[in-house]
Amino acid sequence: MKSTIRVAAAAILLTTTAAMADTAGPAPKPDAHGPNISGFFSPFPFQGGEAIYKGVCQGCHMADAKGAVGAGMYPALAKNENLETAAYPVGIVLKGQKAMPFFALQLNDQQIADVVNYVRTHFGNKYKDKVKPEDVKALR
Amino acid sequence: MTDQPIAPSRRSLLSMIGGVAGSAAMYHAMTEMGYADESTFKGPVKLSPPPAGTSVLILGAGVAGMVAAMELRDAGYKVQVLEYNGRPGGRNWTLYGGDTYTELGGFTQKVGFDPGQYINPGPWRLPYHHQGILHYVNRLGVALEPFTQVNFNAYVHSTNAYGGKPQRYRQVQADFHGHVAELLAKTTKQGALDQSVSKQDREMLMVALQNWGALNGNYEYGKSIETSLRRGFDVDPGGGLNSMPVPSEPRAMSDVVQSGLWAAIGASCNYEMQSAIFQPKGGMGMIGKAFGAALGPLIQYNAKVIEIKQDEKGVTATYIDSRTGGEKRTASADWCVCTIPASILTQIPMNVAAPMKNAINQLSYSAALKVGLQFKRRFWEQDDHIYGGITYTNQPNGTISYPMWDYFSKGKGVVLGAYTFGQAAYLAAAKSPEDRIQDALEYGSKIHPQYRQEFDAGVAVAWHRVPWTLGCAGAWTEPARAVHYDNLCALDGRIVLAGEHASRIPAWQEGAVTSSIDAITRLHQRVMSA
């Protein structure tokens, strides 16, 4: 996955910068068009585990973290024993799993640590050990 | 990995592409990194008759599944289709006034549109070069009408350009082309291009730039009748007395460049955005309905597949009623074409070998949002003279598209008030349908102040909440494709996969059609060589 992300990002640069590399005037500013949350891999603005959960995770895992079932299902994060080893959810948030997209480009180390800590201490989960940003960085 | 070296450029690029050009361009850039593979459709399928009694089980009655069912049936196969929903079409889907839709998590929306009003939550366009889906549209007798992609009188909008005031597409394009032409003409005249352009070519280039940018005799772009014939007049010419036109003032070059609005022009040049583009009269779902009618009792609806098992003799799918659960039932055949989205299939036990399994397991599904807004009157036509087409904005709603039917109707009309991917779509999925609609109204009212006064009813579909796909489409990246794509498409024993996810035209119905035709052709070859 590491190389996948890197190559993908490089490919975007290659295919889309050509046209604007030599334009006159100042280079476009990173956020020239405001917060722009329609971007595919643009970083999520939320800070703090609860805000990140409600802005990102809740879309699939639901407000009560109990998931949902249709033709397929979204797993419950509530009372989820797979969360016992913190590295497991960190890895899944970073790299994705099955239908779940990866968030390595959209959430930074602090954000991932925060949201994993939030989920591991809410929704009936009571894990005491905390994930630190360095732990996330090590798994990238 | 460290993303520091690439992060700033990536962000700036994507914010430019996604912010203004809209989600279509963004989607294209992200899913295929600029690839625009052409359809591989080579005309109607011709399969020779198989050995008598040969049967195929088809999983999913979306476009891919129903193409397979129709062609295999016509060739002489015994065909059965299992479908999770109570209707044919899959993502070929239209929501009409009076329809009810319940998403994962339980929010139920009763569509409050008037009869005949609709939105297409999924695909909504049929480019002329998508000859595969167009073939079936024609074969099924589905009536088409034009889809307007580029409307020169629609808006391009950025909250950070021109004080947040929306600009007409024709003005943005005329000014951008005009200023670029003037610059290049100046450069050419100054001799800066003498090394790379021959004298003869320089002369022709100057004429071409004058023509392309509406430059005057001195190769300048400025206020004139000629430039207003591109960007529009302050007062249009008319008949009789007092009919003199008043030309409009082009925007200054720096403003045009800094606005970023030019990104919409590039997006509109994409192969898939080029005229002619069609839509079925009465909604995209008319195609799915026509397929369903043609296949009749071959489709078993409300069937939720929970296991797929193959052995040396055949394939058996176990399913339950998708509404009530209940007892397990089975359907068996010699072969299987499985069009269930990988997001769902990854959760269904299926004995295929590791290469196909890994390919299915690695494919995530992207977020997408569509919001339909019914207004009491067609103010975009009556007040703004926008008839169909698309407005782009850097706000999270991304796109506003105006109905391309019933022009000049005095009645209500449904606008596509949001169509977006990526982060905005994640955020929307986490909200209630009512809040998604309120957001679309808030953003849209920055462009059309009439929004609040005229709003009547809305519906919002966030694709991560759609119970039968868990997302909009397979989110391939080129590196992942290099490793897994062939394995996803290859026949595994008696099972072959098909759908947009098994195509190089992801998220398009043409991908589903061409994938299906390729899959059944290879399956047929295997049957005939057995």
Side-chain angles (χ1 to χ4, degrees), chain B residues 70-326:
Chain B
M70 189 175 267
E71 296 296 351
L72 291 169
R73 176 199 68 182
D74 291 354
Y77 285 93
K78 210 177 137 213
V79 167
Q80 183 183 6
V81 187
L82 299 182
E83 164 57 40
Y84 175 83
N85 285 314
R87 59 165 183 87
R91 280 166 278 183
N92 176 296
W93 179 30
T94 298
L95 277 172
Y96 301 94
D99 284 356
T100 297
Y101 164 59
T102 300
E103 64 180 38
L104 285 176
F107 289 116
T108 294
Q109 300 177 74
K110 184 155 193 312
V111 185
F113 299 163
D114 279 13
Q117 300 291 348
Y118 66 84
I119 66 153
N120 299 313
W124 56 322
R125 304 183 288 140
L126 303 168
Y128 73 91
H129 48 88
H130 284 184
Q131 287 289 314
I133 185 70
L134 288 171
H135 165 74
Y136 289 98
V137 164
N138 283 304
R139 181 175 161 182
L140 293 162
V142 176
L144 297 179
E145 60 194 2
F147 178 102
T148 303
Q149 177 76 40
V150 179
N151 181 337
F152 278 68
N153 203 41
Y155 292 116
V156 189
H157 171 255
S158 168
T159 48
N160 297 310
Y162 303 119
K165 193 170 178 294
Q167 307 295 299
R168 301 284 187 178
Y169 184 94
R170 60 182 146 76
Q171 297 178 341
V172 172
Q173 176 169 301
D175 291 353
F176 182 65
H177 286 177
H179 286 304
V180 170
E182 179 183 314
L183 264 181
L184 191 50
K186 207 176 281 174
T187 311
T188 307
K189 272 200 292 189
Q190 287 166 351
L193 299 180
D194 288 5
Q195 296 296 317
S196 47
V197 186
S198 74
K199 186 166 183 301
Q200 275 179 324
D201 287 355
R202 285 201 297 274
E203 285 165 7
M204 196 60 99
L205 179 62
M206 293 295 280
V207 177
L209 290 171
Q210 198 171 34
N211 172 285
W212 181 64
L215 307 184
N216 65 17
N218 294 322
Y219 301 98
E220 293 157 347
Y221 181 73
K223 182 175 181 175
S224 69
I225 294 291
E226 286 69 29
T227 58
S228 287
L229 283 168
R230 300 279 172 94
R231 71 190 308 285
F233 293 87
D234 278 353
V235 178
D236 283 353
L241 295 171
N242 297 318
S243 55
M244 284 292 285
V246 179
S248 61
E249 183 74 58
R251 299 283 192 178
M253 189 193 71
S254 174
D255 291 346
V256 171
V257 171
Q258 288 297 327
S259 76
L261 298 182
W262 39 261
I265 303 167
S268 300
C269 293
N270 282 345
Y271 189 38
E272 286 149 344
M273 311 290 182
Q274 293 171 11
S275 301
I277 306 175
F278 302 98
Q279 63 183 9
K281 282 186 181 174
M284 187 57 78
M286 300 304 276
I287 299 176
K289 276 185 190 166
F291 262 116
L295 292 167
L298 297 182
I299 304 174
Q300 165 82 56
Y301 293 106
N302 300 308
K304 173 177 169 172
V305 174
I306 56 170
E307 188 179 17
I308 303 163
K309 208 168 177 183
Q310 61 174 334
D311 57 29
E312 63 278 8
K313 292 198 187 101
V315 184
T316 296
T318 304
Y319 63 98
I320 55 173
D321 191 298
S322 56
R323 300 157 301 178
T324 59

Side-chain angles (χ1 to χ4, degrees), chain A residues 13 15 28 30 33-34 36-46 54-55 58-59 70-74 98-99 101, chain B residues 1 6 11 13 15-16 18 26 30 33 84 160 259 304 346-347 361 364-365 394 423-424 426-427 430 464-465 467 470:
Chain A
L13 292 175
T15 52
H33 303 292
N36 176 33
I37 56 171
S38 62
F40 235 89
F41 285 160
S42 52
F44 285 106
F46 309 107
K54 287 184 171 167
Q58 180 172 306
M73 53 87 85
Y74 288 127
K98 297 188 171 178
Chain B
M1 110 179 227
I6 52 173
R11 264 201 295 278
L13 266 172
S15 74
M16 303 203 69
M26 169 65 79
M30 275 323 307
M33 316 307 171
Y84 175 83
N160 297 310
S259 76
K304 173 177 169 172
T346 189
Q347 303 180 17
N361 287 348
S364 69
Y365 270 56
N394 74 327
Q423 196 179 119
Y426 277 103
L427 302 189
H464 268 153
R465 293 256 175 145
L470 307 184

